[in-house]
Amino acid sequence: MSLRPELERLLAKFGQDTQRIEDSVLIGCSKQHEAWFALDLGLNSSSSLNASLQKAEMEIELKGSFTDLRKALFQLNTKDASLLTTAQALLRWHDAHQFCSRSGQPTKKNVAGSKRVCPSSKIIYYPQAPTRISIPSSQMAPVVITLVSDGTRCLLARQSSFPKGMYSALAGFCDIGESLEEAVRREVAEEVGLELERLKYSASQHWSFPNSSLMIACHASVKPGQTEIQVNLKELEAAGWFSHDEVATALRRNNPYTQQQNGTFWLPPKLAIAHQLIKEWVEKPSCSTLPA
Ligand SMILES: NC(=O)C1=CN([C@@H]2O[C@H](COP(=O)(O)OP(=O)(O)OC[C@H]3O[C@@H](n4cnc5c(N)ncnc54)[C@H](OP(=O)(O)O)[C@@H]3O)[C@@H](O)[C@H]2O)C=CC1
Ligand SMILES: [Mg+2]
């Protein structure tokens, strides 16, 4: 059942522009894969755009009462609490990023609410970090990087933007409202379609390319027999399982920029946390299956 007509009816009843539904942001989905969106009704907002909804009248209409989220956390289950805190954080971020800091022009939200774009300067604003292009950013975005193993092999992947022949562990930006564990499981599922069994924190690193990230590195394992991958070609150019011997040999290879060999793959430089993660696995392949 779609709640959109009901929401439109409510907004219209309270004299609001039903276009405001377009300000909704995606906060999750049900087990049946129905998307859940959140909309700021603006009841506490000082902005003239949103301030006109009447709280008391709305409570009568909805047969409920609005309450402070911190108080509500005593009553909510974990799932609902996570949805509401995600909604609050994401809606607050959108409210604070209505205008481009370079052009001063209004920014435009994408449908899901995962970013805002300035049509004038073309700058993309993400909730995790101010921008992905040219404006130097002093804020760090948390990024998870995961080396998945099936017990004997490890999973390496490459993006088309990587230097030719380089393979690395799976990486991805944490979404607002996510825990580290949730981000790791989602990124691995999104990029290669695998469900993780165990997860073990390894180390972290500041990474300044292209903008500041806090890289949080983990080892992970899949259930035996559940190793079939589905490469998400929108995000990756290729991914595959590599044997212990293949990876150990690649680790010993010299600088690929000075020694290009056809058909061989190579790994990120020693200073990258991806390299450390891969080295750790080569030295102790059981590290991904040990209890955390
Ligand atoms: N130190 C190391 O060893 C390694 C570091 N890395 C780093 O990890 C980072 C993340 O890996 P990557 O696979 O690219 O991430 P993702 O898998 O999350 O994919 C990148 C996409 O996520 C979206 N996105 C969400 N938030 C942001 C944000 N704050 N900034 C930019 N894009 C965002 C963008 O898509 P859209 O615009 O469509 O929403 C982007 O194209 C990279 O910056 C890379 O430099 C990666 C591997 C090794
Ligand atoms: Mg990625």
Side-chain angles (χ1 to χ4, degrees):
M1 185 189 77
S2 168
L3 292 177
R4 190 183 169 114
E6 174 61 9
L7 193 51
E8 278 177 359
R9 184 192 67 78
L10 263 178
L11 288 172
K13 180 163 182 178
F14 285 92
Q16 296 292 305
D17 185 351
T18 52
Q19 271 297 106
R20 273 187 60 190
I21 293 181
E22 305 307 325
D23 294 337
S24 309
V25 294
L26 180 67
I27 51 167
C29 71
S30 69
K31 285 194 174 125
Q32 290 73 38
H33 305 283
E34 292 160 326
W36 285 329
F37 282 83
L39 175 67
D40 186 357
L41 289 177
L43 299 173
N44 294 322
S45 173
S46 50
S47 104
S48 56
L49 208 68
N50 294 335
S52 47
L53 275 174
Q54 294 306 309
K55 190 171 165 181
E57 290 168 23
M58 194 62 115
E59 285 180 332
I60 293 167
E61 178 68 27
L62 294 172
K63 300 186 181 65
S65 60
F66 289 100
T67 184
D68 183 271
L69 185 53
R70 265 173 299 189
K71 287 185 196 155
L73 290 182
F74 287 99
Q75 294 164 354
L76 292 167
N77 64 36
T78 319
K79 178 80 193 161
D80 289 345
S82 163
L83 283 171
L84 284 173
T85 50
T86 300
Q88 190 199 39
L90 198 50
L91 289 168
R92 196 166 43 202
W93 179 82
H94 279 280
D95 192 44
H97 290 80
Q98 301 281 318
F99 295 92
C100 174
S101 60
R102 175 163 283 179
S103 70
Q105 297 296 310
T107 55
K108 204 172 173 327
K109 178 184 88 66
N110 67 345
V111 175
S114 60
K115 58 185 171 186
R116 301 189 72 88
V117 182
C118 171
S120 164
S121 69
K122 307 285 184 265
I123 291 172
I124 304 173
Y125 293 88
Y126 291 100
Q128 306 90 331
T131 173
R132 83 199 266 192
I133 59 166
S134 65
I135 291 188
S137 144
S138 56
Q139 268 177 279
M140 272 192 316
V143 171
V144 288
I145 178 157
T146 313
L147 188 66
V148 182
S149 165
D150 70 350
T152 56
R153 303 171 298 171
C154 77
L155 189 96
L156 299 175
R158 56 170 281 107
Q159 297 178 13
S160 54
S161 59
F162 283 6
K164 197 165 165 251
M166 190 184 94
Y167 278 73
S168 186
L170 300 173
F173 291 94
C174 293
D175 279 347
I176 208 158
E178 260 181 348
S179 70
L180 174 59
E181 294 82 352
E182 287 164 341
V184 168
R185 290 179 190 279
R186 176 188 50 75
E187 275 296 332
V188 172
E190 260 177 32
E191 298 196 348
V192 291
L194 287 176
E195 203 181 320
L196 295 179
E197 190 176 42
R198 280 183 190 277
L199 190 60
K200 191 166 176 269
Y201 170 77
S202 167
S204 65
Q205 172 190 54
H206 176 259
W207 189 247
S208 44
F209 316 100
N211 275 319
S212 282
S213 303
L214 176 63
M215 305 292 304
I216 306 148
C218 294
H219 289 283
S221 64
V222 284
K223 287 193 184 127
Q226 298 193 4
T227 56
E228 198 181 322
I229 57 172
Q230 284 172 324
V231 183
N232 179 345
L233 295 171
K234 280 193 200 136
E235 303 213 11
L236 300 174
E237 189 179 80
W241 292 103
F242 291 76
S243 72
H244 186 268
D245 275 0
E246 284 175 301
V247 181
T249 309
L251 268 184
R252 287 194 295 270
R253 264 181 213 125
N254 286 330
N255 185 345
Y257 290 107
T258 54
Q259 290 203 337
Q260 279 280 4
Q261 288 163 311
N262 279 342
T264 53
F265 76 97
W266 50 280
L267 301 168
K270 280 199 178 71
L271 277 177
I273 202 160
H275 185 103
Q276 299 302 324
L277 205 52
I278 294 165
K279 186 163 173 273
E280 213 165 38
W281 178 79
V282 163
E283 287 168 0
K284 197 175 180 188
S286 61
C287 63
S288 48
T289 48
L290 295 172

